[in-house]
Amino acid sequence: MGTRVVVIGGGLAGMVTAAALRSRFDEVVVLERDKLPDGAEVRKGVPQARHAHLLVSGGARVIESLVPGFLDRMYAEGAHHVNAPGDLVTMVMGWMPRRRGSQFLVASSRALLDWVMRDMVSRDPRVQIRSESPAHELIGDAKRVRGVRGPDGVLEADLVVDTAGRGSRAPKWLAELGAGDVRTEVIDSGLAYVTRVFQAPEAARTRFPIISMQADSHLPEPGRGGVLLPMEGGRWIVTLAGTRGGEPLATVDGYTDFATNRLRHPIMGELIARAEPLTDVYGTRTTSNQRYRYDELDVPEGFVALGDSVAAFNPVYGQGMSISAHSAFVLRGVLADGGSTRQAQRAISRITAGPWEMATGMDMHFPDVRGVQPTRLDRMRRAFADRMTLTAVSRQRVYEAMNATYMLAKPMSSMMAPGVLLDVLRGPIDPPLAEPPLTVDERRRAGL
Ligand SMILES: Cc1cc2nc3c(=O)[nH]c(=O)nc-3n(C[C@H](O)[C@H](O)[C@H](O)COP(=O)(O)OP(=O)(O)OC[C@H]3O[C@@H](n4cnc5c(N)ncnc54)[C@H](O)[C@@H]3O)c2cc1C
């Protein structure tokens, strides 16, 4: 018999894992609980697909290396290639200028992204994706996992990778094998998301920038922000979000009021007023930062967890899918070097550590956040981050370093490169822009 890896969960993390491991095992079996659609459709197990999803360049490049041709296929299906920050109209501590940069975002519906991945990965004869096949428990003992119980009985495996998402039952299953309890950390700003999809005005269906307004934790009120993402089919997906006490209502009136009157600038409301709504307003509160400290446990050999089942982040930072891709890439690398699954698990935890610091480091400053209180050191870190953001307005090297880190294209340490630090020390030259930097042509095409 050849070697087999079983992947629990056929979401994005499951697909990147299957793509990464197909060259290392004779057989890759993906067990997915849902009935998988034959196209770009939202499904029960991935409800977040109703909300704006950004694929940042660091993750996009890794996915492309695991699934060659992925980006071309996405663009052929109508996804937008968005230069960062050239095609970004972003408000952080004020509006940031637009200059062509070396990073990018892929803007599409999440359903399209999942479909393209699944379709491309499933064409490999080494990969079997079993729809309507929930995993029920792990088979093995505290020293070694040997398989999974699925709907057709026990499926033996040399390696089991859990990618069952935020609600994964792997911690419970491992405890049942006697492997101990995995410690969980949760840091929750109480963020609520509401999303609606629009048909963009005809002239704005192509070459339109992403509009992003980040919540400002310096204000003595809950954080409120939003993002408008162009996607396939000439549509815009517009997600609005507010932290505890400032949550938008998931109704048409509540949504419109939030976009028009509650954000720091009315641009979002002005744009959607000129677009045609295509859907209801959908809400979610699945936004806390949550991580399982598998790195602290003697995880049985033959088992690895990856993706949201290890660390899930406040989605406004747009990093979850890309962290999954990096993690699958590293898993393959550790196994190729002869490392153990425990070593791979610790390497995956290290990948999630930087984004965790970043996301929780921002979230902890919003009112009534749960799970953490900012210390003096945290406030000093934020003061440094503020100076960096204000410096990035006029110093391209700083903006590039911030973007590359945020887009998971370079490690956090690249923000501490001597040249970048020197620029931050010199400080800002110009203040942020007072108005969103849409061009005259973009305004005209959007009907503003
Ligand atoms: C509102 C929202 C917005 C987001 N926006 C972004 C963004 O802009 N950019 C970004 O990069 N990330 C974003 N994320 C995060 C992103 O969705 C996840 O990081 C990404 O989907 C990877 O998740 P996953 O595959 O680990 O888990 P999931 O997407 O949750 O997939 C888990 C899969 O496992 C299946 N499953 C569960 N239990 C079992 C079982 N027992 N047996 C078999 N199958 C099972 C489920 O049906 C599902 O298919 C967002 C998340 C949310 C909630």
Side-chain angles (χ1 to χ4, degrees):
M1 196 184 107
T3 53
R4 178 192 286 153
V5 54
V6 173
V7 180
I8 304 174
L12 201 275
M15 286 306 117
V16 287
T17 303
L21 297 185
R22 59 188 162 168
S23 55
R24 291 211 52 78
F25 291 83
D26 297 316
E27 201 186 355
V28 181
V29 180
V30 181
L31 298 179
E32 169 52 49
R33 187 174 53 192
D34 276 0
K35 184 174 190 327
L36 290 169
D38 232 359
E41 288 169 34
V42 178
R43 61 186 173 86
K44 192 166 161 248
V46 188
Q48 71 266 37
R50 294 209 181 278
H51 302 277
H53 267 73
L54 285 164
L55 178 61
V56 294
S57 43
R61 291 188 187 110
V62 174
I63 295 181
E64 176 68 23
S65 77
L66 296 173
V67 185
F70 166 77
L71 288 174
D72 280 349
R73 169 88 185 268
M74 285 293 287
Y75 299 140
E77 301 270 0
H80 297 245
H81 178 96
V82 180
N83 180 264
D87 300 325
L88 285 184
V89 173
T90 307
M91 183 184 228
V92 189
M93 298 175 75
W95 293 100
M96 301 297 284
R98 290 166 70 179
R99 300 183 203 101
R100 287 204 79 70
S102 56
Q103 302 306 324
F104 65 93
L105 298 131
V106 181
S108 74
S109 70
R110 169 65 195 267
L112 177 67
L113 198 156
D114 278 0
W115 163 242
V116 166
M117 273 300 279
R118 201 162 66 240
D119 187 47
M120 292 184 82
V121 173
S122 67
R123 283 170 198 272
D124 188 321
R126 292 167 294 188
V127 180
Q128 284 176 43
I129 302 176
R130 299 191 189 168
S131 187
E132 297 179 279
S133 296
H136 298 309
E137 63 175 338
L138 295 171
I139 303 298
D141 53 40
K143 293 264 166 292
R144 179 160 199 104
V145 166
R146 299 183 192 284
V148 174
R149 188 181 306 282
D152 306 319
V154 171
L155 194 58
E156 288 182 2
D158 302 276
L159 172 64
V160 175
V161 185
D162 178 58
T163 65
R166 275 182 185 255
S168 168
R169 299 176 70 204
K172 177 174 171 280
W173 295 337
L174 286 173
E176 284 166 4
L177 293 184
D181 293 323
V182 193
R183 188 167 70 87
T184 322
E185 290 173 89
V186 180
I187 295 179
D188 184 8
S189 69
L191 191 78
Y193 253 48
V194 288
T195 298
R196 201 173 196 195
V197 175
F198 299 84
Q199 192 69 59
E202 196 161 349
R205 290 183 188 164
T206 53
R207 296 181 298 105
F208 201 73
I210 289 178
I211 316 289
S212 159
M213 298 177 67
Q214 294 182 16
D216 186 354
S217 64
H218 299 83
L219 302 174
E221 57 187 52
R224 295 183 179 90
V227 64
L228 180 155
L229 207 70
M231 60 181 200
E232 72 275 10
R235 294 172 295 161
W236 289 341
I237 184 165
V238 183
T239 290
L240 310 172
T243 64
R244 189 169 287 110
E247 301 93 331
L249 292 178
T251 60
V252 169
D253 287 349
Y255 178 91
T256 310
D257 173 60
F258 194 92
T260 314
N261 305 314
R262 312 275 163 202
L263 296 173
R264 284 186 283 154
H265 192 283
I267 184 75
M268 214 63 97
E270 290 167 6
L271 286 166
I272 62 175
R274 288 155 179 82
E276 179 198 342
L278 295 176
T279 64
D280 287 340
V281 176
Y282 293 101
T284 183
R285 286 174 182 260
T286 310
T287 60
S288 62
N289 301 285
Q290 164 188 309
R291 70 173 164 175
Y292 285 97
R293 300 303 304 265
Y294 282 107
D295 53 316
E296 296 174 351
L297 199 73
D298 270 343
V299 181
E301 278 299 324
F303 174 86
V304 171
L306 182 160
D308 281 15
S309 77
V310 174
F313 301 85
N314 176 343
V316 291
Y317 306 115
Q319 297 189 326
M321 299 189 296
S322 297
I323 293 166
S324 300
H326 277 285
S327 302
F329 189 81
V330 157
L331 169 61
R332 181 176 71 177
V334 173
L335 297 181
D337 290 344
S340 67
T341 49
R342 263 180 217 162
Q343 284 168 326
Q345 190 69 66
R346 284 198 285 272
I348 289 167
S349 292
R350 281 196 293 278
I351 287 176
T352 63
W356 177 267
E357 293 302 323
M358 197 213 78
T360 60
M362 309 263 259
D363 283 359
M364 67 170 66
H365 299 286
F366 288 108
D368 300 325
V369 68
R370 295 192 182 145
V372 70
Q373 278 304 315
T375 61
R376 225 174 114 220
L377 181 64
D378 292 324
R379 278 191 272 274
M380 282 164 65
R381 281 199 185 121
R382 180 167 73 151
F384 178 77
D386 289 349
R387 185 175 172 94
M388 190 167 229
T389 304
L390 289 171
T391 305
V393 170
S394 37
R395 297 191 193 268
Q396 175 72 353
R397 180 161 51 179
V398 178
Y399 202 5
E400 270 282 320
M402 280 176 64
N403 261 327
T405 308
Y406 168 68
M407 305 221 174
L408 299 169
K410 293 203 175 145
M412 298 268 275
S413 55
S414 64
M415 284 205 289
M416 298 296 145
V420 176
L421 283 182
L422 192 66
D423 280 354
V424 176
L425 217 67
R426 287 184 181 133
I429 303 170
D430 303 316
L433 310 175
E435 288 296 319
L438 281 155
T439 63
V440 172
D441 177 58
E442 286 160 355
R443 286 183 175 276
R444 182 189 54 74
R445 289 192 288 119
L448 293 175

